[in-house]
């Protein structure tokens, strides 16, 4: 940040794709000078997805915000950046709302909770004698290759409407049980985000000299678990992958 700050000139725009540095300035030390615009366009997807969709002529939806308007043109610059990176559409937020929702989502439904719930169900099925293939298909493959595509196309209710009656009844009943079970965890998570505790954890971990080695160890543990080894085998058997062998 000191190197970036030293090169900022009056009228420049300081562009962020995340509210992290600005909102948690006490921990990051990022305090922009008052003579630059400070703007945000935050794509709702990974960098790899943003680039892939851009090249395909599609886009990733993005939120946008203006933290500081030094030139009177900050919002125009923000919208231009959003269009330039190929945003599907842009919706307004604030730096605070963006980082609070983003950190919660990543740790929750989008990644952390998703992986945790998948592991819990897979382990349960294996404990009761189901094969790795069956456990993985009923936990991950059916979701990624069928059901989530229906949700993507026309919403959760439409996915329910296009499943069997046994699936409909069970899902409609059990969604309430799962919601009640995880609400306390989400409350705990959100408070940890708001308080800056998650920021402290991230900065501390990412600043460690052996961060990459520790990360690879954790990812390797996941990759080499029975569940995801089963996943690799299942994916290799998809029809679209036959020709690659």
């Amino acid at each position: 940040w000191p190197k970036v700050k030293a090169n900022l000139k009056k009228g420049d725009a300081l562009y962020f794709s995340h509210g992290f540095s600005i909102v948690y300035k006490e921990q990051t030390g990022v305090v922009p000078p008052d003579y630059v615009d400070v703007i945000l366009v935050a794509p709702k997807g990974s960098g790899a997805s943003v680039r892939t969709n851009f090249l395909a002529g599609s886009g990733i939806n993005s939120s946008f915000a203006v933290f500081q308007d030094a030139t009177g043109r900050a919002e125009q610059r923000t919208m231009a950046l959003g269009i330039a990176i190929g945003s599907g559409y842009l919706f307004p937020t604030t730096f605070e709302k963006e980082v609070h929702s983003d950190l919660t989502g990543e740790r929750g439904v989008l990644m952390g909770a998703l992986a945790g719930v998948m592991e819990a169900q897979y382990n349960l099925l294996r404990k009761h004698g189901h094969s790795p293939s069956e456990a993985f298909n009923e936990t991950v493959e059916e979701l990624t290759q069928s059901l989530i595509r229906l949700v993507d196309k026309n919403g959760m209710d439409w996915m329910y409407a296009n499943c069997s009656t046994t699936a409909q009844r069970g899902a409609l009943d059990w969604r309430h049980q799962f919601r009640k079970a995880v609400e306390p965890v989400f409350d705990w998570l959100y408070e940890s985000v708001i308080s800056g505790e998650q920021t402290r954890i991230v900065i501390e971990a990412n600043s460690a000299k052996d961060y990459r080695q520790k990360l690879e160890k954790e990812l390797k543990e996941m990759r080499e678990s029975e569940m995801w080894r089963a996943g690799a085998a299942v994916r290799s058997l998809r029809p679209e992958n036959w020709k690659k062998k």
Side-chain angles (χ1 to χ4, degrees):
W1 165 243
K3 291 182 180 180
V4 172
K5 185 177 181 180
N7 285 280
L8 290 173
K9 302 181 297 296
K10 184 177 181 180
D12 282 350
L14 187 59
Y15 162 53
F16 292 89
S17 58
H18 203 314
F20 189 95
S21 295
I22 293 293
V23 174
Y24 298 109
K25 59 182 182 295
E26 292 83 3
Q27 297 187 63
T28 65
V30 177
V31 180
D34 60 9
Y35 51 78
V36 299
D37 291 341
V38 182
I39 60 179
L40 174 141
V41 176
K44 300 300 111 179
S46 69
S49 299
V50 172
R51 183 60 178 167
T52 298
N53 284 27
F54 180 86
L55 292 175
S58 180
I60 293 286
N61 302 329
S62 304
S63 59
F64 72 92
V66 173
F67 180 78
Q68 182 170 284
D69 186 1
T71 66
R73 298 185 294 114
E75 185 168 343
Q76 289 176 290
R77 286 172 145 177
T78 305
M79 301 303 285
L81 273 166
I83 294 169
I85 65 172
S87 300
Y89 73 84
L90 292 157
F91 61 95
T93 187
T94 65
F95 273 64
E96 290 82 4
K97 293 293 186 184
E98 191 284 326
V99 70
H100 293 163
S101 60
D102 193 67
L103 293 182
T104 299
E106 291 166 347
R107 286 149 182 75
V109 171
L110 301 178
M111 295 175 68
L114 179 65
V117 170
M118 284 178 170
E119 290 166 5
Q121 179 169 301
Y122 179 89
N123 292 341
L124 173 74
L125 293 174
R126 290 290 289 128
K127 182 174 71 174
H128 288 282
H130 298 269
S131 69
S133 179
E134 184 167 57
F136 188 85
N137 271 281
E138 294 293 352
T139 300
V140 180
E141 193 75 352
E142 186 172 350
L143 173 67
T144 60
Q145 298 303 296
S146 174
L147 301 182
I148 204 65
R149 295 179 180 182
L150 297 176
V151 177
D152 172 63
K153 185 175 182 179
N154 214 21
M156 185 70 76
D157 65 302
W158 197 75
M159 183 267 278
Y160 276 40
N162 283 274
C163 290
S164 68
T165 55
T166 53
Q168 290 169 356
R169 185 69 269 143
L172 286 167
D173 290 344
W174 276 90
R175 72 186 179 101
H176 300 296
Q177 298 299 324
F178 280 105
R179 186 184 66 249
K180 292 174 184 176
V182 301
E183 278 176 346
V185 180
F186 275 101
D187 286 337
W188 175 23
L189 167 58
Y190 196 74
E191 178 55 37
S192 183
V193 168
I194 296 294
S195 70
E197 176 63 11
Q198 290 302 306
T199 298
R200 183 195 65 76
I201 292 170
V202 168
I203 292 175
E204 186 177 289
N206 291 0
S207 299
K209 292 182 178 180
D210 59 348
Y211 167 71
R212 287 292 177 184
Q213 292 89 333
K214 288 181 177 178
L215 173 63
E216 177 52 32
K217 182 179 179 181
E218 290 182 274
L219 296 180
K220 182 180 180 182
E221 180 183 350
M222 180 184 291
R223 183 170 59 250
E224 294 184 354
S225 68
E226 182 193 87
M227 175 178 166
W228 289 108
R229 283 188 285 111
V234 169
R235 288 193 300 276
S236 72
L237 295 173
R238 292 175 186 166
E240 66 267 25
N241 292 327
W242 293 352
K243 64 184 71 174
K244 298 178 182 179
K245 294 183 178 181

